[in-house]
């Protein structure tokens, strides 16, 4: 860079045109540098706006939990908490601060490892998938949904067999109760 600048000065001293090839190259580097700086600045501004919106959302949710006149039910507080966690992960993922592998690990270990987390995603997934505002957000929700669909550790084959067995047991219990009620009603109806 210094050599190019010195070459341009020397060319100017020899009486050559001041805007030589060296000047053009330096100008091109300058324009590229300014463009790159503007792109970074725009990205930082978007990130700051998102962060401010999330902070405002967190404040609103905190106020809802501490509302005068009574506390929201436990389930509503849990829903708010899970929503904040998922929104935080979404923000980190959109900014490129949360790699996909880490996101999948968080979703499995923290969101879907508990019944309330699984219920939260089951109840909100369609809305979130339908309202994704860009490709990155859509990819985020697709990742969460794919982890939910895979089932994770709570849906092991042994648990599926247990659930099937429980369904069969409850079905047989219902059938036996229905048969017993039928017999009792028939006896009552046959008495004169």
């Amino acid at each position: 860079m210094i050599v190019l600048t010195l070459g341009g000065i020397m060319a100017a001293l020899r009486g050559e045109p001041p805007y030589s090839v060296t000047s053009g190259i330096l100008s091109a580097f300058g324009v590229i540098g300014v463009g790159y700086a503007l792109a970074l600045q725009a990205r930082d501004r978007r990130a700051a706006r998102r962060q401010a919106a999330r902070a405002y959302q967190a404040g609103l949710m905190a106020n809802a939990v501490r509302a005068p006149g009574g506390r929201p039910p436990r389930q509503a507080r849990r829903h708010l908490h899970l929503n904040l966690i998922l929104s935080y992960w979404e923000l980190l993922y959109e900014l490129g601060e949360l790699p996909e592998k880490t996101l999948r690990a968080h979703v499995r270990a923290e969101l879907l490892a508990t019944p309330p987390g699984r219920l939260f995603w089951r109840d909100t997934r369609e809305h979130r998938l339908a309202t994704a505002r860009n490709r990155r957000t859509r990819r985020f929700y697709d990742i969460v949904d794919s982890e939910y669909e895979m089932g994770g550790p709570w849906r092991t084959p042994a648990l599926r067999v247990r659930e099937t067995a429980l369904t069969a047991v409850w079905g047989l219990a219902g059938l036996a109760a229905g048969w017993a009620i039928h017999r009792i009603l028939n006896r009552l109806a046959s008495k004169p």
Side-chain angles (χ1 to χ4, degrees):
M1 194 73 110
I2 293 172
V3 172
L4 292 175
T5 306
L6 289 175
I9 292 171
M10 296 303 285
L13 291 174
R14 286 190 304 257
E16 295 176 7
Y19 296 107
S20 65
V21 174
T22 306
S23 304
I25 291 172
L26 290 175
S27 296
F29 281 132
V31 169
I32 290 170
V34 168
Y36 183 70
L38 289 174
L40 287 177
Q41 187 179 24
R43 180 178 176 231
D44 288 345
R45 238 189 347 257
R46 279 193 309 272
R49 278 197 317 263
R50 282 191 197 124
Q51 185 61 35
R54 299 294 167 112
Y56 184 72
Q57 176 191 22
L60 288 175
M61 290 184 172
N63 286 339
V65 170
R66 288 180 266 140
R71 294 177 60 166
R74 183 178 182 186
Q75 185 177 6
R77 285 194 315 271
R78 187 178 295 139
H79 182 89
L80 290 173
H81 179 74
L82 291 169
N83 186 49
L84 282 174
I85 290 172
L86 194 64
S87 296
Y88 178 66
W89 291 343
E90 179 185 346
L91 174 67
L92 291 178
Y93 185 77
E94 283 181 6
L95 296 175
E97 297 296 322
L98 184 63
E100 182 175 328
K101 185 177 180 180
T102 306
L103 171 62
R104 287 183 182 278
H106 283 320
V107 168
R108 280 191 303 268
E110 297 176 33
L111 180 67
L112 300 177
T114 63
R118 291 190 300 274
L119 290 174
F120 170 79
W121 183 249
R122 185 198 69 195
D123 294 343
T124 62
R125 71 192 277 207
E126 286 182 28
H127 172 72
R128 288 177 181 270
L129 288 167
T131 59
R133 62 186 168 275
N134 56 41
R135 278 187 296 161
R136 188 92 173 143
T137 305
R138 177 66 188 193
R139 178 70 183 137
F140 172 83
Y141 290 133
D142 285 342
I143 291 168
V144 175
D145 200 48
S146 71
E147 289 299 321
Y148 178 79
E149 288 294 326
M150 281 195 288
W154 68 90
R155 296 288 295 166
T156 61
L159 183 59
R160 288 189 198 113
V161 168
R162 183 172 164 243
E163 288 173 348
T164 304
L166 283 173
T167 303
V169 167
W170 281 110
L172 289 174
L175 185 63
W179 179 77
I181 291 171
H182 173 72
R183 294 281 296 174
I184 291 170
L185 290 176
N186 276 346
R187 286 190 180 183
L188 290 175
S190 67
K191 287 187 179 179

